[in-house]
C-alpha cells in the first residue's frame, strides 16, 4: 500500500471528526476573506469620496489665517507660482495633483463675485465633482479605478475636451450658482474687468464655494489684475495614507516660506475607519490560528492516541518513523488546502453578494486573496499537526501492543 492510499484512508477513517475540523477551517477562512474583500473596496470607495471633495491640502502665504478651509484662498496675500513647479519637480509620494489658483474680486450687474485664475488641466483633475460638465478626466491616483477613456461623441464634447488642455485667454467657466443668479448659459459672453469672455461651460453644482465663482486661465487673471507670476494658494490632492504618513511635513520642509494646512480631522477619520477594519480582519486571523489550531491539535492528538495500535502495526511491518510523520502531515496539508480553497470561494461569494448591501460599495473578486487564504489555512493545520504527528512517529510498537 503506497503513501497516497494510506493518507486517503486515514482522512476518511474518522469521517465525523474530519468533517468537524474541515468545517471549522472553512468557516474561519470564509469570514476572513469576506471581511478582507469588503474592507479593501470600502477603503477604495472612501478614498474616492475624499478625492471628490477636491483638495485636501492647501499651500498658503504665511500671513493667512485659515478661517474656512474651502474659502481660504480668498485673500490679498500671494505666494510665487514657482512653488507649484517646486512641488512638481520634488516627486513627493502621495501628491496626486496640484492646482495653483489666483482669486480676485470682480463686479457683475452691481454684485460682487470672485474671479479665480486656474491652470485648466490640473484644476479639472483636482475637481472630481466637475466631471458632470463633460470636461473632466481624472488620473489614476489614491483610490481611483481606471474605467477607460470614453470617445467624444460630438463637436461639443470635443470642445470641452480641448478646454482641459487649453482654456483660451477669452474663455471662462461659470459656477452653477453664479450662472443661475445671472441667467448665464453656455455660449454667452461676459465682461470681466473690461475684457469680454466667452462662457464655454457652466459647471455642475458641487456644494462648495466653487459654485459661486467664475474661472478663467491663471495667466490671464494675473495679467488683468496687474500681478506677476503669483497665486493665492496651491491646492494639493494628496493620498490620505501619505498625508498621515508625513506628506504635510515634507511639503513644509520643501516650502518653508509658505503655510501648509490640511483637513486633519477628515484624514484622521478615514484612517481610523480603515485601521479598525484592518484590525478586525487581523482579530479573525488570530482566532483561526489560536482556536482553530488548538482544535486541530486536539483532534490530531486524540487520533494518534486512538490509533496507536494501528500505528504500531504499521511500524512492526517495516514502516519508518518518517512515513508515519508524512502520513499525518499530508493529511493536515490536504485539510488545509481544501479549507483554504473552499473558504476563499465562499468568502468571495459572500463579499460580492453582501458587500453592496452592507458597505454600499460594489465588491469584486480578489484572486490574490486565494494565496492568502490557502497560506493561512495550510500554515495553521501543519503547525497544529506537527507535534501530534511527531508523537505518532516516535511510538514504540512493543508498548502500543501491550496497551489494551
Amino acid at each position: 500500500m503506497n503513501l497516497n492510499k494510506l493518507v486517503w484512508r486515514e482522512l476518511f477513517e474518522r469521517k465525523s471528526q474530519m468533517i468537524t475540523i474541515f468545517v471549522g477551517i472553512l468557516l474561519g477562512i470564509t469570514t476572513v476573506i469576506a471581511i478582507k474583500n469588503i474592507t479593501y473596496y470600502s477603503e477604495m470607495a472612501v478614498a474616492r469620496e475624499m478625492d471628490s471633495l477636491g483638495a485636501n491640502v492647501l499651500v498658503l502665504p504665511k500671513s493667512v489665517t485659515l478661517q474656512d478651509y474651502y474659502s481660504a484662498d480668498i485673500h490679498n496675500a500671494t505666494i510665487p507660482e514657482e512653488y507649484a513647479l517646486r512641488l512638481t519637480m520634488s516627486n513627493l509620494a502621495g501628491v496626486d495633483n496640484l492646482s495653483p489658483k489666483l482669486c480676485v474680486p470682480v463686479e457683475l450687474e452691481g454684485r460682487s463675485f470672485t474671479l479665480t485664475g486656474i491652470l485648466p488641466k490640473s484644476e479639472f483633475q483636482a475637481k472630481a465633482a466637475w466631471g458632470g460638465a463633460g470636461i473632466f478626466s481624472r488620473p489614476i491616483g489614491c483610490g481611483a479605478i481606471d474605467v477607460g477613456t470614453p470617445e467624444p461623441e460630438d463637436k461639443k464634447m470635443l470642445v470641452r475636451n480641448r478646454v482641459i488642455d487649453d482654456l483660451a485667454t477669452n474663455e471662462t467657466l461659470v459656477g452653477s450658482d453664479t450662472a443661475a443668479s445671472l441667467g448665464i448659459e453656455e455660449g454667452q459672453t461676459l465682461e470681466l474687468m473690461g475684457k469680454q469672455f466667452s462662457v464655454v461651460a457652466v459647471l455642475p453644482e458641487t456644494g462648495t464655494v466653487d459654485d459661486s465663482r467664475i474661472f478663467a486661465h491663471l495667466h490671464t487673471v494675473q495679467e488683468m489684475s496687474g500681478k506677476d507670476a503669483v497665486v493665492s494658494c496651491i491646492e494639493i490632492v494628496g493620498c490620505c495614507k501619505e498625508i498621515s504618513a508625513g506628506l504635510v511635513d515634507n511639503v513644509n520642509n520643501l516650502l518653508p516660506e509658505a503655510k501648509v494646512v490640511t483637513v486633519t480631522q477628515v484624514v484622521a477619520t478615514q484612517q481610523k475607519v480603515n485601521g479598525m477594519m484592518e484590525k478586525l480582519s487581523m482579530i479573525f486571523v488570530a482566532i483561526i490560528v489560536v482556536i482553530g489550531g488548538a482544535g486541530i491539535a486536539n483532534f490530531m492528538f486524540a487520533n494518534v492516541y486512538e490509533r496507536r495500535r494501528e500505528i504500531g502495526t504499521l511500524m512492526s511491518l517495516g514502516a519508518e518513523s518518517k512515513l508515519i510523520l508524512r502520513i499525518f502531515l499530508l493529511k493536515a496539508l490536504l485539510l488545509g488546502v481544501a479549507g483554504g480553497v473552499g473558504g476563499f470561494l465562499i468568502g468571495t461569494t459572500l463579499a460580492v453578494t453582501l458587500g453592496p448591501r452592507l458597505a454600499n460599495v460594489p465588491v469584486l473578486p480578489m484572486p490574490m486573496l486565494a494565496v492568502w487564504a490557502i497560506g493561512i489555512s495550510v500554515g495553521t493545520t501543519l503547525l497544529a499537526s506537527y507535534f501530534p504527528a511527531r508523537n505518532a512517529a516516535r511510538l514504540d510498537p512493543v508498548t502500543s501492543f501491550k496497551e489494551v
Side-chain angles (χ1 to χ4, degrees), residues 167-181:
L167 187 64
T169 56
N170 65 336
E171 293 177 335
T172 187
L173 310 172
V174 181
S176 59
D177 290 348
T178 300
S181 63

Side-chain angles (χ1 to χ4, degrees), residues 5-22:
K5 288 183 178 180
L6 286 172
V7 172
W8 192 255
R9 290 188 62 179
E10 174 63 22
L11 274 173
F12 292 97
E13 187 68 26
R14 303 287 191 274
K15 292 182 181 179
S16 60
Q17 294 175 332
M18 186 271 293
I19 291 174
T20 300
I21 293 298
F22 174 74

Side-chain angles (χ1 to χ4, degrees), residues 157-371:
M157 185 64 71
L158 284 170
V159 170
R160 287 175 166 179
N161 284 341
R162 178 183 61 82
V163 174
I164 295 177
D165 295 313
D166 181 22
L167 187 64
T169 56
N170 65 336
E171 293 177 335
T172 187
L173 310 172
V174 181
S176 59
D177 290 348
T178 300
S181 63
L182 296 176
I184 296 174
E185 296 180 355
E186 292 183 15
Q188 293 184 349
T189 58
L190 287 178
E191 183 175 340
L192 300 171
M193 302 176 71
K195 183 173 180 177
Q196 294 293 323
F197 286 86
S198 173
V199 179
V200 295
V202 173
L203 299 173
E205 185 176 355
T206 64
T208 67
V209 293
D210 289 344
D211 294 340
S212 60
R213 296 188 179 187
I214 302 169
F215 298 88
H217 198 287
L218 173 63
H219 299 155
T220 300
V221 175
Q222 289 172 341
E223 181 181 353
M224 291 169 56
S225 59
K227 297 184 178 181
D228 296 325
V230 295
V231 294
S232 303
C233 76
I234 300 173
E235 292 184 350
I236 300 176
V237 176
C239 179
C240 293
K241 288 184 179 179
E242 295 294 344
I243 291 175
S244 34
L247 174 61
V248 173
D249 291 337
N250 292 334
V251 175
N252 267 316
N253 293 333
L254 182 67
L255 305 174
E257 308 89 351
K259 176 186 293 185
V260 184
V261 294
T262 181
V263 192
T264 54
Q265 290 183 338
V266 178
V267 175
T269 299
Q270 181 189 354
Q271 290 302 111
K272 185 177 180 180
V273 172
N274 294 348
M276 181 183 67
M277 296 295 287
E278 197 68 30
K279 287 179 181 178
L280 184 61
S281 64
M282 289 299 104
I283 289 173
F284 275 98
V285 171
I287 290 173
I288 292 173
V289 172
V290 176
I291 298 180
I296 294 169
N298 182 62
F299 164 69
M300 287 294 188
F301 272 119
N303 196 19
V304 169
Y305 181 79
E306 292 171 1
R307 309 194 64 188
R308 60 192 183 280
R309 296 194 64 172
E310 298 172 32
I311 296 170
T313 301
L314 279 176
M315 298 183 74
S316 65
L317 291 174
E320 296 181 354
S321 297
K322 291 182 180 179
L323 177 63
I324 304 299
L325 183 66
R326 288 169 65 187
I327 288 174
F328 282 93
L329 290 183
L330 278 175
K331 176 182 176 180
L333 177 64
L334 291 175
L335 282 173
V337 171
V341 172
F344 169 74
L345 294 175
I346 298 175
T348 299
T349 301
L350 289 175
V352 172
T353 304
L354 300 179
R357 299 179 184 178
L358 297 178
N360 200 29
V361 294
V363 177
L364 301 175
M366 297 176 61
M368 281 301 297
L369 287 181
V371 178

Side-chain angles (χ1 to χ4, degrees), residues 88-99:
T88 303
M89 300 298 291
S90 67
N91 292 321
L92 288 177
V95 177
D96 287 348
N97 193 264
L98 298 177
S99 179

Side-chain angles (χ1 to χ4, degrees), residues 32-104:
V32 172
I33 293 302
I35 291 176
K36 275 282 186 183
N37 210 330
I38 294 175
T39 300
Y40 175 79
Y41 282 98
S42 177
E43 289 177 354
M44 297 281 284
V46 171
R48 290 195 300 273
E49 288 297 322
M50 289 288 294
D51 284 350
S52 70
L53 296 176
N56 43 32
V57 178
L58 287 179
V59 179
L60 301 166
K62 278 282 190 185
S63 59
V64 172
T65 300
L66 186 62
Q67 300 295 335
D68 181 349
Y69 180 83
Y70 289 106
S71 60
D73 53 355
I74 304 177
H75 49 76
N76 293 323
T78 58
I79 55 177
E81 184 184 344
E82 182 262 342
Y83 284 4
L85 180 61
R86 282 199 214 174
L87 287 167
T88 303
M89 300 298 291
S90 67
N91 292 321
L92 288 177
V95 177
D96 287 348
N97 193 264
L98 298 177
S99 179
K101 300 166 65 175
L102 175 64
C103 297
V104 296

